[in-house]
Amino acid sequence: MTAHDPQQAARPNTPTTTYLYDNYDTAFVRERVAEFREQVRRRLEGATTEEEFRPFRLMNGLYLQLHAYMLRVAIPYGTLTARQMRSLADIADKWDKGYGHFTTRQNLQFNWPKLVDVPDILEALAEVEMHAIQTSGNCIRNVTADHFSGVAADEYEDPRPTAEFLRQWSSLHSEFSFLPRKFKIAVSGAAQDRAAVKVHDIGLRVVAGPGGEPGYEVYVGGGLGRSPFVGKVVREFLPREDLLAYLEAILRVYNRFGRRDNKYKARIKILVHETGLDQIRAEVEAEFAAMDRTPFAHDAEEFARIAAFFAPPPYETLPAQSEALQSAKRENPAFAAFAEVNVSAHKIDGYAIVTVSLKPTGGIPGDATSAQMRVLADASEKFGFGELRVSHEQNIVLPHVKKDDLFALWRMLDAAGLATANVGLLTDIISCPGLDYCSLATARSIPIAQAISRRFKDEERQREIGRLGIKISGCINACGHHHVGAIGVLGLEKKGQESYQITLGGDPSLSASVGELLGPGVGADQVADVIEHIVDFYLSERQGEERFIDTWRRLGHARFKDVLRREGENGADI
Amino acid sequence: MALISEGKFVEDEWRHLADEEDLPRSGKIVVSQQRLEEALAGLGPEQGLGVRLPNTADPAAIAPYFSRLSLIAIAFPAFTDGRGFSLARLVRRAGFKGELRASGRLVADQALHARQCGFDTIEIPHDIAQRQNEAQWAKALGSYAETYQEGYGTRGSILERRRKAAL
Ligand code: HEM
Ligand code: SF4
């Protein structure tokens, strides 16, 4: 079966650039909704206790937050069709407060659903081939992938077929639904790592094997949270046909031997750390060798079936350069800035990748209103083959836009407040929900992001500063990835006061590193000041085009620490 | 305890023998792993013998006894502790053909997980059985016509069915 199968063609206007459900997938998701409806009914009737219900509601994406339930909808490998985006907008209007929050794991969260409505929401999602399966809970979570998959100029292979293959394998895995802790997998297939594979429980990079055939470099034991670890290579080259069997071996070793006595030591990163990489590798390989491989015998065929869906859209043959783009840039400086900052190289001549920032000045990072979701859906249909992506930086990507259309697209986005030209720049901040929503939070994080965003709102100054990632978490669980922010901010509570620790030098890419602490925590109203001083110091010291992280690496952490210390001596309360 | 098989509450023919109890001369009994040797020596050849395993047991250590065992009961200290599911798969893989029983505070929502991992029966405390009746267990077991993975007691995975349909 291919993407152009007659069964699929019965649905007009659905792009074939992404996976489409067949009857089995449809039935499965429908059955999942029915199952959850029954689970909610049993809970309300008292047949299950809250404790018994909890893991099942979590495995359907339903969290209990500080003020209300939160539903986390899966957006597998961050890929959405226009139709799906519209449906998310409709759900936001009908069952929530008219907006949604795109997360660092390429998902979408609704912050205000009612428990009794959730089965209906899931049904509406199923209507457009979506679900909230395994977006939470101690199971294999929604698999993430490079948001430039299939279009990046530096790509070896589109990682999405792999991610979809894993989505199916991990869905309702009977053996791995009650793991010691949550389990996150990310896949990348390009030279540059935009999926942060080294800070996942398992990270996969599609690479060429000895004979040139595609397979995987497998990382294990990376993760953030309380104890951040950079993942280690457990297998340098895994042939494709062994993928599911090998991951099953890793998961089985983890399920049996991962710690269950302390939830903060239960991730596979701790097992790898305490047992040692060599020992873990030996156990995984022994399990892999002992396994009955019959159920995996036809994996290569199934992979090929899935891969056929991810066909390139019908691109036009275009010149590499666009005259229309050049003249629009000359005439409109705001557009020129957008084109410089938010547009990335596409592998096809005449096309570009556009990242739409969900980080307007003073906004909540990752939030989009239903009206904005609809504009994005319309824009993707008008200019981008009806396909969208969610990035782990909490932005939306239009992966195939003709360079000739960029100006028209920009006008459409600008009218909807979606043309902020700050992608990859200082105000493209990643932030977790923090104390405004989260029951585990020790401090607010959204207001900190907003304060920094206002302080640095001058886009020209941001371009002058260059690429710089700020990441904020409202407690040590690190949902905001602060460990891998070039500048990381961690909100803690000290003697009843919010106190923010600042770290420098984090890096989520293949050169992964965990940030180092700058000094004692600072108060909420000082975070923006301190960041400003650090940035000023960087600007005074950088050589040529050097990025912040490279200047920091060259000068060393101590030089930056001095900046904060001098601040303290000048009377700042830190 | 209540016993569930294929979504039905059934009579339990087995008796769990506490470690301090004497071996009975008749009836089917389940002993702890520590008493396995003693039971093998003391029971008549016609008497049914089963063993209780903690979810941390080493399947290789128990495999030599498979031919004499009619039942293996794997403990679930908490329903959220999934080690028993992996152990069940390993016990099946090592060749155990008798009754495999999940024993502990499992909930109806796990009926399918248990069957796919190789369990035949589920043994739960009465308080859960009172809240979660037979209809709920049966319904949960039948929640899915097919799943993506190959499991014991299922009709073959979605992957397998797709492949057959394409041939
Ligand atoms: C408000 C509800 C939330 C709660 C209660 C929560 C809870 C947690 C906890 C306890 C951890 C640490 C887990 C561990 O290390 O084992 C964690 C990690 C994480 N969470 Fe959240 N979280 C919430 C919201 C979010 C949101 C909104 C996002 C995305 C924007 C997110 C993304 C992450 C990520 C990426 C990690 C990274 C740590 C890792 O997996 O290595 N979480 N969360
Ligand atoms: S980092 Fe802490 S405060 Fe922020 S979302 Fe995660 S658990 Fe909540």
Side-chain angles (χ1 to χ4, degrees):
Chain A
M1 187 170 7
T2 72
H4 307 283
D5 183 84
Q7 190 193 336
Q8 310 297 352
R11 284 176 292 162
N13 302 327
T14 34
T16 52
T17 55
T18 186
Y19 186 73
L20 300 175
Y21 284 10
D22 67 4
N23 294 338
Y24 294 107
D25 300 306
T26 303
F28 179 82
V29 171
R30 295 271 175 201
E31 286 162 344
R32 180 77 172 207
V33 177
E35 181 192 37
F36 189 62
R37 200 179 279 286
E38 172 71 3
Q39 284 166 335
V40 170
R41 190 192 66 75
R42 289 168 55 222
R43 171 68 198 117
L44 294 175
E45 240 181 44
T48 38
T49 63
E50 180 54 31
E51 189 198 345
E52 288 164 351
F53 178 53
R54 192 171 173 274
F56 300 96
R57 78 163 155 71
L58 289 175
M59 277 188 270
N60 287 289
L62 194 61
Y63 262 94
L64 199 49
Q65 291 203 123
L66 203 52
H67 311 291
Y69 280 107
M70 171 270 272
L71 181 69
R72 188 182 284 161
V73 176
I75 301 176
Y77 32 93
T79 299
L80 278 174
T81 62
R83 177 165 167 255
Q84 290 172 328
M85 184 66 113
R86 277 198 196 96
S87 175
L88 294 173
D90 293 345
I91 290 170
D93 282 340
K94 186 160 179 195
W95 287 292
D96 207 294
K97 297 187 178 177
Y99 67 94
H101 178 76
F102 290 95
T103 80
T104 51
R105 297 208 73 254
Q106 301 180 314
N107 295 324
L108 178 88
Q109 293 182 182
F110 290 118
N111 280 316
W112 309 99
K114 291 197 197 63
L115 176 59
V116 288
D117 290 336
V118 172
D120 291 339
I121 301 177
L122 295 179
E123 195 136 345
L125 288 170
E127 204 61 53
V128 292
E129 307 186 1
M130 293 185 82
H131 58 71
I133 299 171
Q134 289 168 214
T135 54
S136 182
N138 294 335
C139 51
I140 302 168
R141 299 287 187 88
N142 182 36
V143 177
T144 55
D146 186 347
H147 46 270
F148 288 172
S149 294
V151 289
D154 67 338
E155 185 171 270
Y156 166 66
E157 186 186 275
D158 188 341
R160 290 175 302 158
T162 300
E164 172 61 26
F165 196 34
L166 296 178
R167 182 190 74 83
Q168 298 189 20
W169 161 75
S170 61
S171 293
L172 189 74
H173 199 296
S174 54
E175 185 180 348
F176 305 135
S177 294
F178 301 91
L179 297 169
R181 202 72 179 81
K182 59 185 170 182
F183 203 91
K184 299 178 180 178
I185 305 177
V187 199
S188 142
Q192 210 189 318
D193 173 22
R194 284 169 292 261
V197 296
K198 283 189 172 181
V199 290
H200 280 77
D201 296 283
I202 291 181
L204 297 171
R205 287 187 69 215
V206 192
V207 293
E213 74 286 6
Y216 304 92
E217 182 180 31
V218 185
Y219 292 88
V220 69
L224 301 172
R226 294 176 187 232
S227 11
F229 282 98
V230 172
K232 299 169 186 67
V233 177
V234 62
R235 184 66 107 77
E236 272 172 25
F237 183 76
L238 180 70
R240 170 155 291 154
E241 63 269 25
D242 292 342
L243 179 66
L244 296 190
Y246 192 80
L247 292 203
E248 195 144 320
I250 296 178
L251 264 301
R252 188 164 293 139
V253 167
Y254 170 56
N255 193 32
R256 295 185 67 205
F257 303 114
R259 286 181 61 171
R260 290 174 188 263
D261 58 325
N262 177 340
K263 110 180 219 205
Y264 297 110
K265 296 192 189 294
R267 297 288 288 269
I268 195 173
K269 62 191 175 187
I270 304 293
L271 180 67
V272 172
H273 177 70
E274 290 181 349
T275 315
L277 179 65
D278 290 338
Q279 179 67 26
I280 288 293
R281 183 185 289 125
E283 284 177 28
V284 169
E285 293 290 344
E287 172 56 32
F288 181 61
M291 241 157 138
D292 171 14
R293 300 285 289 278
T294 336
F296 305 101
H298 301 285
D299 280 5
E301 291 158 54
E302 176 62 9
F303 184 89
R305 185 193 76 87
I306 291 171
F309 284 92
F310 295 85
Y315 293 120
E316 290 170 39
T317 308
L318 297 169
Q321 299 301 327
S322 158
E323 267 314 309
L325 171 60
Q326 295 311 329
S327 68
K329 272 166 58 174
R330 278 191 300 272
E331 280 153 33
N332 190 322
F335 169 65
F338 178 87
E340 185 195 329
V341 174
N342 291 31
V343 175
S344 311
H346 196 287
K347 66 179 175 192
I348 303 294
D349 278 352
Y351 285 85
I353 306 169
V354 176
T355 304
V356 180
S357 167
L358 297 181
K359 324 286 175 70
T361 301
I364 296 178
D367 271 14
T369 63
S370 54
Q372 288 177 326
M373 291 184 214
R374 291 192 184 98
V375 169
L376 288 164
D378 291 348
S380 78
E381 270 176 350
K382 201 156 176 204
F383 302 113
F385 300 104
E387 198 193 323
L388 303 120
R389 308 280 177 80
V390 182
S391 77
H392 81 263
E393 288 93 1
Q394 307 180 274
N395 292 320
I396 301 294
V397 174
L398 297 174
H400 345 255
V401 180
K402 268 195 263 181
K403 286 181 177 171
D404 291 348
D405 290 339
L406 283 172
F407 185 58
L409 169 64
W410 175 77
R411 290 230 302 241
M412 187 171 175
L413 294 172
D414 195 33
L418 286 168
T420 313
N422 65 348
V423 168
L425 302 182
L426 193 147
T427 60
D428 185 2
I429 297 168
I430 292 183
S431 168
C432 83
L435 203 52
D436 293 291
Y437 293 100
C438 176
S439 52
L440 303 177
T442 40
R444 292 168 303 157
S445 43
I446 291 171
I448 302 298
Q450 291 170 315
I452 299 169
S453 161
R454 289 197 195 95
R455 176 71 63 92
F456 287 91
K457 67 173 186 290
D458 180 351
E459 288 185 355
E460 200 173 322
R461 183 174 172 210
Q462 287 190 58
R463 289 197 295 280
E464 162 68 18
I465 297 165
R467 297 188 68 80
L468 204 176
I470 296 186
K471 302 183 199 256
I472 309 173
S473 305
C475 82
I476 51 175
N477 288 316
C479 304
H481 297 189
H482 66 274
H483 296 298
V484 289
I487 298 179
V489 180
L490 165 60
L492 297 169
E493 190 233 272
K494 240 164 90 182
K495 302 193 195 98
Q497 292 282 316
E498 288 167 313
S499 166
Y500 294 85
Q501 284 189 349
I502 294 177
T503 50
L504 300 182
D507 175 2
S509 70
L510 286 180
S511 47
S513 57
V514 169
E516 291 176 39
L517 192 60
L518 190 61
V522 303
D525 48 1
Q526 283 158 340
V527 177
D529 291 333
V530 171
I531 290 178
E532 190 148 32
H533 288 290
I534 293 165
V535 168
D536 286 343
F537 178 67
Y538 154 65
L539 290 178
S540 69
E541 293 291 332
R542 84 166 159 201
Q543 296 177 350
E545 298 279 282
E546 203 173 44
R547 291 177 310 162
F548 176 86
I549 178 99
D550 297 321
T551 305
W552 177 85
R553 281 179 178 149
R554 177 171 54 80
L555 292 177
H557 191 56
R559 295 283 306 281
F560 283 82
K561 274 183 107 139
D562 286 345
V563 179
L564 188 65
R565 213 192 52 231
R566 280 201 302 276
E567 269 304 284
E569 285 163 3
N570 291 341
D573 175 25
I574 49 180
Chain B
M1 300 291 265
L3 188 68
I4 301 147
S5 169
E6 288 297 315
K8 289 200 168 59
F9 284 22
V10 295
E11 195 71 43
D12 192 356
E13 297 172 348
W14 291 84
R15 184 157 85 80
H16 278 284
L17 200 68
D19 278 346
E20 59 283 356
E21 282 181 90
D22 289 334
L23 288 176
R25 285 280 139 226
S26 65
K28 298 171 159 188
I29 57 154
V30 189
V31 299
S32 66
Q33 203 178 350
Q34 295 86 302
R35 291 189 79 185
L36 192 51
E37 286 290 350
E38 180 203 341
L40 282 169
L43 291 195
E46 301 305 314
Q47 225 177 322
L49 176 63
V51 67
R52 290 191 286 279
L53 297 180
N55 63 7
T56 49
D58 176 7
I62 208 82
Y65 303 101
F66 282 174
S67 58
R68 180 60 184 86
L69 290 171
S70 313
L71 180 139
I72 293 179
I74 295 176
F76 279 74
F79 78 105
T80 49
D81 185 340
R83 280 177 286 192
F85 292 124
S86 281
L87 183 58
R89 283 214 170 240
L90 292 175
V91 164
R92 285 297 190 207
R93 181 167 88 198
F96 181 66
K97 299 279 193 292
E99 178 181 338
L100 192 55
R101 186 179 281 201
S103 177
R105 300 193 62 84
L106 281 90
V107 290
D109 316 72
Q110 293 173 305
L112 190 63
H113 299 81
R115 185 172 69 184
Q116 290 209 327
C117 289
F119 288 110
D120 303 295
T121 51
I122 301 172
E123 186 174 42
I124 53 167
H126 281 300
D127 67 300
I128 297 180
Q130 264 162 16
R131 283 185 281 115
Q132 305 185 3
N133 60 24
E134 193 172 270
Q136 294 184 29
W137 284 87
K139 186 156 191 175
L141 191 63
S143 295
Y144 297 86
E146 265 104 20
T147 58
Y148 289 103
Q149 313 79 11
E150 196 77 46
Y152 290 87
T154 51
R155 293 197 286 154
S157 66
I158 288 175
L159 272 57
E160 190 55 23
R161 301 187 133 248
R162 273 185 187 138
R163 197 179 73 82
K164 295 228 168 90
L167 289 179

